[in-house]
Amino acid sequence: MTVARKWLDTVKSWLHDLRVRWFDAEGAPRQWLAAGKDRLQDIRPHWPDDVGPPRQWLAAVSSRFREYRASWDETDPRKRGRWALLALLLLLLLCVSSAGISYLINRKPLTAILPPAPAIAGALRPHYLFSIYGVQTPVGVAVTPGGDRIYVAENGGDRLIKAFDRDGNFQFSFTSPGTTSLERAPVYLALAPDGRVFVSDRRQHAIHIFDAGGNYIGDFPPPGGDANWAPLGIGFRGDDFLVTEVAKHQAYVFDGTGALKMMLGGEGKDPGQFWFPNGIAEDDRGSIYIADGNNGRLQVFDDQGQLQTVQTAIGLPRGVWIDSDSRLYVVDAVGQTIHTYGLYSDELRYLFNFGEVGFGDGQFNFPNDIAVDETGRIYIADRENHRVQVWSY
């Protein structure tokens, strides 16, 4: 389906360009119709054979473009107006159909297909789908990009890492090697770009590394060999590995080789300081978002480590996540909700929150972590309800 996606992107780019130039000069619609026919003829032969109906549809549209061009009469203003209206309607149909084809290929919600717009994103809210049970006091959750495997860290029972499929069916479990349930306390999870599973363990004062099947590989070395470090929140953005630490109340950014790139914070309540930092995430610009747990706020730093923003009025921020539509999610454990912000400019824009306290579907009882896959599904570790809730747009 990668070829289909490639040509779909080509159609979208072409639509944007022609929409801008539609009324650039007299006679432009005729030129546009000619360009449209040629472009569709270019695309149609390369459309995947296993996506038959769209390929036939492209052929039909190409033929219609040819008819419109042949019938264009530049000497008759009334005919030009009628054909312009028909062509505009055809353009609208092409836009809607492209979005529909994209949905069939990618199986993403429309919010993931359409370009992110603050007004649209602010109006659309996720809805509850179902819950994954069979976990004891889940505190951490991670998901593969396609959503085919969900990892959950338990802080109760045997304190295992459990893996589930997309439908919530249990697959297997694993844990820190050579430990009993009293000696380990897995908290946050992060998946490396190559599929390895990183697990912060509060009692082991370590970050354990496993392969995708749960086989132990080793531990991530602490900066400077500090045996007393206490890693908690972890995350990846490309090759960058992000860690929050609650002994020195700091945050770290490591490169793909494990070398320290940046160190932030220190214990305190002033801006730029932390008090039990938890979740951590990085956006496309390199800005770092840190849930400053016991200070009840979110702090944002630029790619040089300079403090940009302090977002207060968050009860007890825990897990954070940035999705592909530039939405930032912050789990509020005592507010029993998920705060959602738009990252559409240099400033955080509050969009909405979802969830409320309770025991029913879509209600939370001390949520702790969040992850979002590329299909738009949202996974929330609902700690005291002993489940992972799955939401979607």
Side-chain angles (χ1 to χ4, degrees):
M1 290 298 185
T2 22
V3 179
R5 291 194 186 97
K6 172 184 174 184
W7 288 108
L8 191 60
D9 288 342
T10 303
V11 172
K12 289 179 182 176
S13 173
W14 165 65
L15 284 172
H16 174 75
D17 179 56
L18 293 175
R19 186 173 66 248
V20 171
R21 295 185 299 155
W22 174 266
F23 289 113
D24 59 352
E26 185 177 357
R30 182 173 185 175
Q31 298 165 11
W32 178 84
L33 289 169
K37 175 186 72 75
D38 294 340
R39 183 61 60 89
L40 287 170
Q41 286 179 337
D42 289 342
I43 292 173
R44 184 163 48 89
H46 299 279
W47 195 269
D49 291 331
D50 58 345
V51 190
R55 185 172 185 176
Q56 298 165 12
W57 178 84
L58 288 170
V61 174
S62 177
S63 174
R64 186 59 56 88
F65 266 96
R66 186 165 53 251
E67 294 174 13
Y68 285 172
R69 184 186 177 223
S71 304
W72 188 269
D73 185 353
E74 291 181 301
T75 64
D76 188 340
R78 289 175 300 177
K79 287 186 178 181
R80 281 208 306 268
R82 286 196 297 269
W83 285 120
L85 178 60
L86 287 172
L88 281 170
L89 292 174
L90 185 60
L91 174 63
L92 177 62
L93 175 63
L94 187 57
C95 291
V96 173
S97 300
S98 296
I101 294 169
S102 181
Y103 172 78
L104 292 174
I105 293 172
N106 298 288
R107 291 297 176 184
K108 291 185 177 181
L110 286 179
T111 53
I113 297 171
L114 299 172
I120 296 175
L124 296 175
R125 300 175 183 233
H127 58 275
Y128 172 84
L129 291 180
F130 65 95
S131 289
I132 299 172
Y133 289 93
V135 288
Q136 289 293 314
T137 322
V139 289
V141 62
V143 62
T144 55
D148 55 314
R149 179 168 293 170
I150 303 130
Y151 297 93
V152 183
E154 294 182 315
N155 195 42
D158 290 331
R159 293 178 169 170
L160 303 175
I161 312 299
K162 292 184 176 179
F164 299 83
D165 67 15
R166 183 173 177 81
D167 298 320
N169 300 307
F170 175 75
Q171 300 294 291
F172 58 87
S173 64
F174 55 97
T175 189
S176 306
T179 61
T180 67
S181 60
L182 297 177
E183 295 170 331
R184 59 180 178 256
V187 186
Y188 288 108
L189 306 169
L191 300 188
D194 60 7
R196 289 176 298 161
V197 184
F198 285 59
V199 183
S200 67
D201 192 303
R202 184 170 50 84
R203 293 196 175 181
Q204 291 288 305
H205 290 262
I207 297 174
H208 301 306
I209 306 172
F210 303 84
D211 66 19
N215 300 300
Y216 176 72
I217 298 174
D219 286 355
F220 185 83
D226 184 3
N228 295 317
W229 86 318
L232 190 60
I234 53 177
F236 278 94
R237 187 67 175 189
D239 290 332
D240 284 351
F241 181 47
L242 319 169
V243 181
T244 61
E245 197 267 354
V246 294
K248 297 182 177 67
H249 303 272
Q250 294 178 327
Y252 305 90
V253 181
F254 301 92
D255 67 16
T257 68
L260 182 63
K261 290 176 58 177
M262 188 186 306
M263 184 171 63
L264 303 168
E267 184 174 0
K269 298 185 178 182
D270 293 335
Q273 296 180 319
F274 305 124
W275 191 19
F276 290 96
N278 271 246
I280 184 169
E282 180 181 344
D283 68 15
D284 291 333
R285 298 173 298 179
S287 295
I288 310 295
Y289 300 77
I290 300 170
D292 189 6
N294 288 12
N295 280 328
R297 62 193 181 187
L298 177 82
Q299 299 204 60
V300 185
F301 299 80
D302 65 18
D303 59 356
Q304 301 301 311
Q306 299 300 310
L307 182 64
Q308 289 182 309
T309 305
V310 178
Q311 179 68 44
T312 58
I314 304 174
L316 189 64
R318 289 306 195 214
V320 298
W321 190 273
I322 299 172
D323 72 11
S324 58
D325 285 331
S326 297
R327 286 181 290 240
L328 167 70
Y329 304 88
V330 182
V331 178
D332 188 341
V334 299
Q336 314 289 353
T337 192
I338 313 298
H339 301 284
T340 311
Y341 304 87
L343 306 181
Y344 309 116
S345 66
D346 291 336
E347 296 183 0
L348 288 177
R349 175 180 174 180
Y350 175 77
L351 298 179
F352 53 79
N353 64 308
F354 61 95
E356 59 183 7
V357 63
F359 311 105
D361 293 345
Q363 295 180 321
F364 300 125
N365 191 10
F366 294 98
N368 202 77
D369 197 18
I370 188 168
V372 184
D373 68 24
E374 290 181 350
T375 71
R377 276 192 173 186
I378 305 168
Y379 305 82
I380 301 154
D382 188 8
R383 192 181 78 190
E384 297 304 317
N385 279 329
H386 305 289
R387 63 189 178 187
V388 172
Q389 293 196 34
V390 184
W391 294 56
S392 184
Y393 287 93

